[in-house]
Amino acid sequence: MTSQSHTTVVVKEDEANVINSLSKFIEECAEKAVKDHGKFYLGVSGGSLAKFLTKGLPSISTDWSKWLIFFCDERHVDFKNEDSTYKLYKESLLTKVDLKDEQIIKINPELSVDEAATEYVQQMKAIFTECDWPTFDLLLLGMGPDGHTCSLFPNHPLLSEDSVWVAPIKDSPKPPPCRITMTFPVINRAQHSAFAACGEGKAEMLKRVLEGDEQPPLPAAMVKSATVHWFVDKSAANLLTKFS
Ligand SMILES: O=C(O)[C@H](O)[C@@H](O)[C@H](O)[C@H](O)COP(=O)(O)O
């Protein structure tokens, strides 16, 4: 796939302003997607991004009934486990907005991680019918301090996975070890991807991802959706020289 990717970086004063800007962007993406094809196909991640979304999304104005939420990656744990990203969204978002539980496409943690990845793809193919690859309207991504995104980690063989939509990982350097993750052919066919990264702990990696030219590239630098948007606070951006 060789289509062009365009990156924008929005630097905000603090986390609260990052959350507001990200939420406004999501609201706009949802409106455009629903106008265009009647649905909003969204992928979400875990970690601090999930906390940003559960804080920011309840204030947006949207037709929640048109949303379908998928996981860009998910931990392979029981839904009662504190590590479950679905648990976080169920308890902190579904209780605040008019989204039905069935609008969140969940993994089946009772299956093995390999089977859970395959089953997740089957759920996706029931929605993205007749498609070689799914086309998400927006994928919401985090970036780990090592430059990972989704559950795609530096120097991991999954970085070059190009045949499945969703893959299992059993050796995640970020606990828990077993997860499922979207692969780059899916990520890079999304109309939009948006990262949110806050805090000085992300500054070094953000500079490497946005202003470095490393080989092999860091996973977060491999995200080449049609448009890639970064919403960052001043602390995370304080080493950047090309964006302010
Ligand atoms: O479920 C996960 O672990 C995430 O999807 C993961 O990719 C996360 O987005 C990054 O690890 C950043 O997390 P932080 O922003 O919390 O560092």
Side-chain angles (χ1 to χ4, degrees), residues 3-78:
S3 55
Q4 286 302 309
S5 174
H6 178 67
T7 297
T8 61
V9 179
V10 174
V11 181
K12 305 305 282 186
E13 187 65 30
D14 54 27
E15 183 181 287
N17 283 291
V18 166
I19 291 170
N20 287 340
S21 292
L22 176 65
S23 301
K24 194 82 197 123
F25 175 69
I26 295 167
E27 179 181 288
E28 290 161 5
C29 285
E31 185 181 5
K32 281 186 199 139
V34 170
K35 271 198 187 119
D36 179 60
H37 47 269
K39 284 282 184 192
F40 180 43
Y41 297 113
L42 175 69
V44 297
S45 297
S48 59
L49 177 87
K51 297 184 180 73
F52 298 159
L53 295 179
T54 55
K55 284 180 188 163
L57 288 182
S59 61
I60 74 171
S61 166
T62 189
D63 180 353
W64 291 105
S65 72
K66 306 293 186 194
W67 289 43
L68 264 181
I69 299 178
F70 300 75
F71 289 103
C72 298
D73 68 324
E74 172 61 303
R75 294 88 179 278
H76 184 255
V77 295
D78 184 89

Side-chain angles (χ1 to χ4, degrees), residues 93-105:
L93 183 63
L94 286 188
T95 51
K96 298 181 199 164
V97 300
D98 193 17
L99 268 173
K100 293 183 176 54
D101 190 67
E102 52 269 24
Q103 289 176 261
I104 298 192
I105 311 303

